[in-house]
Amino acid sequence: MKTDVIVLGAGIVGVSAALHLQARGRNVVLVDKGEPGQGTSYGNAGLIERSSVVPYAFPRSLATVLRYALNRSSDVRYDPRDLLHVAPFLFRYWRQSSPRNLAVATKAMLPLIEASVVEHDALIEAAGAGDLVRAKGWIAAYRTPKRFEAAAAEAASLSPHGLAMTVLDADGLAGLEPSIATGTKGVFGAIHWLDPKTVTDPGELTRRYAGLFAERGGTILRGEATSLAKTEPGWSVETEWGRIEAADTVVALASKAGSIFRRLGYAIPLGIKRGYHRHYRLPAGVALHHSVVDEEAGYVLAPMRQGVRLTTGIEFAQSDRPANARQIDHAERWARQLLPLGQPVEASPWLGHRPCLPDMRPVIGPAHRHKGLWFNFGHAHHGLTIGPASGRLLAELLTGAAPFVDPAPYSSSRFG
Ligand SMILES: Cc1cc2nc3c(=O)[nH]c(=O)nc-3n(C[C@H](O)[C@H](O)[C@H](O)COP(=O)(O)OP(=O)(O)OC[C@H]3O[C@@H](n4cnc5c(N)ncnc54)[C@H](O)[C@@H]3O)c2cc1C
């Protein structure tokens, strides 16, 4: 079977790229080893994070680095057995997080972040997925006056970006979220970011987008991406329907993209930040109306279709290490101080892999040494947010249309 474009990987990034290529008149086959939306796109915190105008940088303050080195916080943990393995990535990440480099990354990411809600809105409407999306923003909660005041000042410094937000004292928060504890062992103050949207089932959102792609004539097949081979004039991949050939192939395999690019000679320093989630039932009379981030303990509580989803921060460990419940257990203890969570829904937590580049921006565009090969991976903490915008950019580049964003910062050639 021949097609115009093969997209490898049916997470939010691959599905969005497939939809944008299709909208530009290409026949597209979307290939995944499983169902769409079952990878990291299933388990994230569901924030379409329009207010995240500064990427997550490696901390530059010695006190914070020392705190993380103690390995007791729930926002960042590491497996001591894997420190040597992750050290080269961490070193590059630290270097790229200098104030100057962070300003470069911020400028590079801004157009994708700014387009995030608008690009999702178009797909949400076309896919009939409005029931999965809330337009109420999310709440950043602070436990101590010191952190709250610093956060309020930082939020004010972002005013040139025109973000809508409300600063809330404990009473203001209680008005919005009566079940969240305030005062001692609770929240001192909060910032309600109003531009972002939240998704109550990000895996289902990806499946609805994939359903839209199929409805519009796209083909979704089970297949193994590592079977990708060079043919004349393009590429082939083995699927449940046999071999598919296309002039162009897009690699949207997130943390598994290395299984393709390494074999082809690209030294892209893709790192992985692992993260966990678990759902909890709420006792009668307890409710959560917004996604709440406990900024000092480093986890998110998000109202989802499956229950309240508790998601953790970052765990540095080799990607194939078995899940370690320490980080989510730690976060759960903190979370129970803020909200009386009931029983967990699942017996064990879900583990996901954020695909990250040390310069805090994805690789989007042509694989610079191979004609007809395209990359779209490395969306880190914001793959749900910018999946549709990056799919649009990829499709514009592949079809030769004028890109809506300068693609240079995302080029694979930046790594040589
Ligand atoms: C705990 C946590 C919370 C997060 N919260 C947020 C958030 O609130 N907002 C946000 O914007 N982002 C968030 N993220 C990040 C976001 O989830 C990711 O950036 C995003 O899901 C990446 O999408 P993707 O399509 O690149 O990857 P994936 O969804 O992982 O998709 C990759 C696909 O490739 C397929 N695949 C892999 N290997 C092969 C192979 N060999 N053959 C065939 N197919 C293969 C997989 O089956 C999968 O379907 C969070 C991440 C975590 C872990």
Side-chain angles (χ1 to χ4, degrees):
M1 180 183 164
K2 287 192 193 308
T3 188
D4 297 333
V5 188
I6 298 166
V7 175
L8 298 173
I12 188 69
V13 171
V15 170
S16 300
L19 277 163
H20 277 288
L21 286 161
Q22 188 184 50
R24 285 160 184 79
R26 294 297 197 271
N27 283 319
V28 182
V29 174
L30 182 59
V31 177
D32 199 292
K33 63 182 179 187
E35 290 291 314
Q38 288 299 296
T40 304
S41 299
Y42 162 73
N44 57 57
L47 306 177
I48 301 177
E49 230 309 53
R50 170 63 186 87
S51 61
S52 220
V53 291
V54 181
Y56 287 110
F58 192 101
R60 304 290 284 189
S61 113
L62 190 60
T64 312
V65 173
L66 286 177
R67 183 165 67 81
Y68 290 154
L70 293 175
N71 214 13
R72 290 204 196 111
S73 57
S74 52
D75 47 350
V76 179
R77 282 193 101 91
Y78 60 90
D79 187 324
R81 293 170 296 180
D82 295 332
L83 259 188
L84 272 182
H85 179 83
V86 297
F89 173 83
L90 289 181
F91 179 64
R92 291 180 83 143
Y93 185 23
W94 172 78
R95 264 204 348 217
Q96 289 292 335
S97 299
S98 67
R100 210 172 110 221
N101 288 336
L102 182 58
V104 172
T106 302
K107 191 168 167 228
M109 288 305 292
L110 203 54
L112 295 179
I113 294 286
E114 284 174 343
S116 59
V117 169
V118 174
E119 290 296 331
H120 264 290
D121 278 350
L123 296 183
I124 289 162
E125 195 186 337
D131 57 308
L132 302 173
V133 182
R134 292 179 176 164
K136 299 200 286 188
W138 62 274
I139 294 173
Y142 299 88
R143 289 169 178 258
T144 55
K146 191 173 159 206
R147 284 291 299 273
F148 173 56
E149 278 148 25
E154 201 182 319
S157 77
L158 296 178
S159 62
H161 292 289
L163 298 171
M165 51 105 180
T166 316
V167 177
L168 302 168
D169 60 13
D171 289 344
L173 176 65
L176 287 178
E177 290 291 351
S179 299
I180 293 274
T182 51
T184 329
K185 286 214 169 178
V187 178
F188 177 82
I191 297 173
H192 186 185
W193 294 99
L194 294 156
D195 300 289
K197 292 193 172 177
T198 56
V199 181
T200 56
D201 189 341
E204 175 61 16
L205 184 76
T206 308
R207 277 192 293 282
R208 298 263 186 104
Y209 287 1
L212 176 66
F213 166 74
E215 224 176 86
R216 290 174 169 175
T219 306
I220 305 175
L221 295 178
R222 295 282 178 103
E224 178 48 57
T226 52
S227 66
L228 183 74
K230 186 85 193 80
T231 57
E232 266 320 311
W235 300 88
S236 73
V237 75
E238 301 298 330
T239 73
E240 59 184 320
W241 285 7
R243 176 171 301 178
I244 311 285
E245 292 184 356
D248 292 293
T249 291
V250 179
V251 178
L253 295 168
S255 61
K256 300 291 182 197
S259 62
I260 305 288
F261 70 67
R262 278 187 208 110
R263 176 156 61 88
L264 295 172
Y266 293 85
I268 299 173
L270 183 67
I272 291 172
K273 294 178 181 174
R274 306 196 329 168
Y276 297 87
H277 87 218
R278 204 170 193 183
H279 297 103
Y280 297 82
R281 297 185 184 88
L282 290 183
V286 176
L288 185 69
H289 307 287
H290 299 79
S291 296
V292 174
V293 180
D294 183 340
E295 296 283 358
E296 288 176 60
Y299 62 83
V300 184
L301 285 171
M304 293 269 170
R305 298 210 303 180
Q306 301 92 331
V308 168
R309 180 177 287 185
L310 168 68
T311 61
T312 69
I314 299 158
E315 182 191 53
F316 288 108
Q318 295 206 45
S319 66
D320 52 359
R321 281 259 185 238
N324 179 342
R326 274 180 60 186
Q327 188 178 30
I328 196 150
D329 288 349
H330 193 263
E332 183 187 319
R333 282 196 292 279
W334 282 92
R336 286 186 184 282
Q337 292 177 0
L338 291 199
L339 189 69
L341 299 172
Q343 287 302 310
V345 173
E346 301 91 359
S348 51
W350 169 90
L351 167 63
H353 300 85
R354 301 175 184 91
C356 300
L357 278 314
D359 60 3
M360 293 162 280
R361 46 192 184 267
V363 183
I364 309 169
H368 62 283
R369 286 198 223 112
H370 290 85
K371 187 166 178 295
L373 188 66
W374 302 81
F375 290 149
N376 196 5
F377 58 81
H379 296 67
H381 294 260
H382 292 120
L384 170 65
T385 303
I386 61 171
S390 89
R392 174 178 165 186
L393 175 61
L394 188 282
E396 287 169 347
L397 294 170
L398 194 151
T399 57
F404 82 105
V405 178
D406 173 12
Y410 319 112
S411 163
S412 62
S413 63
R414 69 192 198 263
F415 302 113

PDB file of all heavy atoms in Angstrom, residues 339-354:
ATOM      1  N   LEU A 339      -6.845  18.218  50.666  1.00  0.00           N
ATOM      2  CA  LEU A 339      -8.157  17.737  50.238  1.00  0.00           C
ATOM      3  C   LEU A 339      -8.349  16.328  50.808  1.00  0.00           C
ATOM      4  O   LEU A 339      -7.466  15.482  50.643  1.00  0.00           O
ATOM      5  CB  LEU A 339      -8.191  17.685  48.697  1.00  0.00           C
ATOM      6  CG  LEU A 339      -9.533  17.417  48.036  1.00  0.00           C
ATOM      7  CD1 LEU A 339     -10.476  18.615  48.221  1.00  0.00           C
ATOM      8  CD2 LEU A 339      -9.363  17.151  46.537  1.00  0.00           C
ATOM      9  N   PRO A 340      -9.477  16.074  51.468  1.00  0.00           N
ATOM     10  CA  PRO A 340      -9.686  14.736  52.036  1.00  0.00           C
ATOM     11  C   PRO A 340      -9.967  13.701  50.948  1.00  0.00           C
ATOM     12  O   PRO A 340     -11.120  13.408  50.629  1.00  0.00           O
ATOM     13  CB  PRO A 340     -10.893  14.920  52.968  1.00  0.00           C
ATOM     14  CG  PRO A 340     -11.565  16.150  52.511  1.00  0.00           C
ATOM     15  CD  PRO A 340     -10.589  17.002  51.765  1.00  0.00           C
ATOM     16  N   LEU A 341      -8.882  13.167  50.358  1.00  0.00           N
ATOM     17  CA  LEU A 341      -9.037  12.176  49.293  1.00  0.00           C
ATOM     18  C   LEU A 341      -9.577  10.879  49.889  1.00  0.00           C
ATOM     19  O   LEU A 341      -9.208  10.491  51.003  1.00  0.00           O
ATOM     20  CB  LEU A 341      -7.681  11.886  48.641  1.00  0.00           C
ATOM     21  CG  LEU A 341      -6.976  13.061  47.964  1.00  0.00           C
ATOM     22  CD1 LEU A 341      -5.563  12.670  47.548  1.00  0.00           C
ATOM     23  CD2 LEU A 341      -7.774  13.549  46.757  1.00  0.00           C
ATOM     24  N   GLY A 342     -10.420  10.196  49.121  1.00  0.00           N
ATOM     25  CA  GLY A 342     -10.890   8.874  49.547  1.00  0.00           C
ATOM     26  C   GLY A 342      -9.939   7.790  49.064  1.00  0.00           C
ATOM     27  O   GLY A 342      -8.723   8.011  48.945  1.00  0.00           O
ATOM     28  N   GLN A 343     -10.492   6.626  48.763  1.00  0.00           N
ATOM     29  CA  GLN A 343      -9.683   5.480  48.327  1.00  0.00           C
ATOM     30  C   GLN A 343      -9.132   5.692  46.922  1.00  0.00           C
ATOM     31  O   GLN A 343      -9.800   6.296  46.077  1.00  0.00           O
ATOM     32  CB  GLN A 343     -10.560   4.216  48.298  1.00  0.00           C
ATOM     33  CG  GLN A 343     -10.905   3.685  49.661  1.00  0.00           C
ATOM     34  CD  GLN A 343      -9.651   3.363  50.466  1.00  0.00           C
ATOM     35  OE1 GLN A 343      -8.766   2.676  49.983  1.00  0.00           O
ATOM     36  NE2 GLN A 343      -9.579   3.907  51.667  1.00  0.00           N
ATOM     37  N   PRO A 344      -7.914   5.181  46.659  1.00  0.00           N
ATOM     38  CA  PRO A 344      -7.423   5.206  45.274  1.00  0.00           C
ATOM     39  C   PRO A 344      -8.298   4.325  44.381  1.00  0.00           C
ATOM     40  O   PRO A 344      -8.816   3.308  44.840  1.00  0.00           O
ATOM     41  CB  PRO A 344      -6.005   4.621  45.363  1.00  0.00           C
ATOM     42  CG  PRO A 344      -5.722   4.337  46.786  1.00  0.00           C
ATOM     43  CD  PRO A 344      -6.954   4.569  47.588  1.00  0.00           C
ATOM     44  N   VAL A 345      -8.435   4.741  43.129  1.00  0.00           N
ATOM     45  CA  VAL A 345      -9.228   3.959  42.171  1.00  0.00           C
ATOM     46  C   VAL A 345      -8.417   2.755  41.680  1.00  0.00           C
ATOM     47  O   VAL A 345      -8.946   1.663  41.540  1.00  0.00           O
ATOM     48  CB  VAL A 345      -9.652   4.865  40.982  1.00  0.00           C
ATOM     49  CG1 VAL A 345     -10.330   4.056  39.882  1.00  0.00           C
ATOM     50  CG2 VAL A 345     -10.566   5.984  41.474  1.00  0.00           C
ATOM     51  N   GLU A 346      -7.107   2.968  41.407  1.00  0.00           N
ATOM     52  CA  GLU A 346      -6.279   1.883  40.860  1.00  0.00           C
ATOM     53  C   GLU A 346      -5.423   1.268  41.965  1.00  0.00           C
ATOM     54  O   GLU A 346      -5.046   1.960  42.919  1.00  0.00           O
ATOM     55  CB  GLU A 346      -5.332   2.411  39.767  1.00  0.00           C
ATOM     56  CG  GLU A 346      -6.016   3.071  38.573  1.00  0.00           C
ATOM     57  CD  GLU A 346      -6.208   4.568  38.757  1.00  0.00           C
ATOM     58  OE1 GLU A 346      -5.819   5.099  39.830  1.00  0.00           O
ATOM     59  OE2 GLU A 346      -6.771   5.206  37.860  1.00  0.00           O
ATOM     60  N   ALA A 347      -5.086  -0.005  41.769  1.00  0.00           N
ATOM     61  CA  ALA A 347      -4.241  -0.697  42.744  1.00  0.00           C
ATOM     62  C   ALA A 347      -2.824  -0.126  42.745  1.00  0.00           C
ATOM     63  O   ALA A 347      -2.165  -0.062  43.784  1.00  0.00           O
ATOM     64  CB  ALA A 347      -4.199  -2.186  42.415  1.00  0.00           C
ATOM     65  N   SER A 348      -2.345   0.295  41.576  1.00  0.00           N
ATOM     66  CA  SER A 348      -0.982   0.849  41.517  1.00  0.00           C
ATOM     67  C   SER A 348      -0.972   2.074  40.607  1.00  0.00           C
ATOM     68  O   SER A 348      -1.844   2.213  39.733  1.00  0.00           O
ATOM     69  CB  SER A 348       0.007  -0.199  41.012  1.00  0.00           C
ATOM     70  OG  SER A 348      -0.491  -0.751  39.826  1.00  0.00           O
ATOM     71  N   PRO A 349       0.009   2.976  40.815  1.00  0.00           N
ATOM     72  CA  PRO A 349       0.010   4.200  40.017  1.00  0.00           C
ATOM     73  C   PRO A 349       0.416   3.971  38.561  1.00  0.00           C
ATOM     74  O   PRO A 349       1.101   3.005  38.246  1.00  0.00           O
ATOM     75  CB  PRO A 349       1.049   5.082  40.726  1.00  0.00           C
ATOM     76  CG  PRO A 349       1.839   4.195  41.593  1.00  0.00           C
ATOM     77  CD  PRO A 349       1.063   2.949  41.835  1.00  0.00           C
ATOM     78  N   TRP A 350      -0.012   4.904  37.713  1.00  0.00           N
ATOM     79  CA  TRP A 350       0.386   4.924  36.294  1.00  0.00           C
ATOM     80  C   TRP A 350       1.716   5.657  36.192  1.00  0.00           C
ATOM     81  O   TRP A 350       1.962   6.634  36.913  1.00  0.00           O
ATOM     82  CB  TRP A 350      -0.699   5.655  35.510  1.00  0.00           C
ATOM     83  CG  TRP A 350      -0.363   5.995  34.087  1.00  0.00           C
ATOM     84  CD1 TRP A 350      -0.600   5.221  32.987  1.00  0.00           C
ATOM     85  CD2 TRP A 350       0.238   7.205  33.596  1.00  0.00           C
ATOM     86  NE1 TRP A 350      -0.166   5.879  31.851  1.00  0.00           N
ATOM     87  CE2 TRP A 350       0.347   7.095  32.201  1.00  0.00           C
ATOM     88  CE3 TRP A 350       0.695   8.378  34.209  1.00  0.00           C
ATOM     89  CZ2 TRP A 350       0.891   8.101  31.402  1.00  0.00           C
ATOM     90  CZ3 TRP A 350       1.241   9.375  33.427  1.00  0.00           C
ATOM     91  CH2 TRP A 350       1.334   9.234  32.041  1.00  0.00           C
ATOM     92  N   LEU A 351       2.570   5.186  35.286  1.00  0.00           N
ATOM     93  CA  LEU A 351       3.875   5.829  35.066  1.00  0.00           C
ATOM     94  C   LEU A 351       3.971   6.302  33.620  1.00  0.00           C
ATOM     95  O   LEU A 351       3.712   5.527  32.692  1.00  0.00           O
ATOM     96  CB  LEU A 351       4.991   4.811  35.353  1.00  0.00           C
ATOM     97  CG  LEU A 351       6.401   5.169  34.901  1.00  0.00           C
ATOM     98  CD1 LEU A 351       6.919   6.417  35.616  1.00  0.00           C
ATOM     99  CD2 LEU A 351       7.362   3.999  35.157  1.00  0.00           C
ATOM    100  N   GLY A 352       4.359   7.570  33.436  1.00  0.00           N
ATOM    101  CA  GLY A 352       4.529   8.113  32.083  1.00  0.00           C
ATOM    102  C   GLY A 352       5.906   8.722  31.901  1.00  0.00           C
ATOM    103  O   GLY A 352       6.651   8.916  32.869  1.00  0.00           O
ATOM    104  N   HIS A 353       6.235   9.022  30.640  1.00  0.00           N
ATOM    105  CA  HIS A 353       7.579   9.511  30.300  1.00  0.00           C
ATOM    106  C   HIS A 353       7.477  10.823  29.527  1.00  0.00           C
ATOM    107  O   HIS A 353       6.971  10.826  28.399  1.00  0.00           O
ATOM    108  CB  HIS A 353       8.304   8.479  29.427  1.00  0.00           C
ATOM    109  CG  HIS A 353       8.462   7.148  30.107  1.00  0.00           C
ATOM    110  ND1 HIS A 353       7.477   6.188  30.089  1.00  0.00           N
ATOM    111  CD2 HIS A 353       9.474   6.638  30.831  1.00  0.00           C
ATOM    112  CE1 HIS A 353       7.877   5.133  30.777  1.00  0.00           C
ATOM    113  NE2 HIS A 353       9.091   5.383  31.248  1.00  0.00           N
ATOM    114  N   ARG A 354       7.960  11.906  30.127  1.00  0.00           N
ATOM    115  CA  ARG A 354       7.976  13.172  29.391  1.00  0.00           C
ATOM    116  C   ARG A 354       9.246  13.203  28.525  1.00  0.00           C
ATOM    117  O   ARG A 354      10.350  13.129  29.072  1.00  0.00           O
ATOM    118  CB  ARG A 354       8.011  14.374  30.342  1.00  0.00           C
ATOM    119  CG  ARG A 354       6.852  14.467  31.324  1.00  0.00           C
ATOM    120  CD  ARG A 354       7.093  15.633  32.268  1.00  0.00           C
ATOM    121  NE  ARG A 354       6.087  15.772  33.306  1.00  0.00           N
ATOM    122  CZ  ARG A 354       6.166  15.201  34.509  1.00  0.00           C
ATOM    123  NH1 ARG A 354       7.192  14.436  34.838  1.00  0.00           N
ATOM    124  NH2 ARG A 354       5.212  15.412  35.398  1.00  0.00           N
TER     125      ARG A 354
END
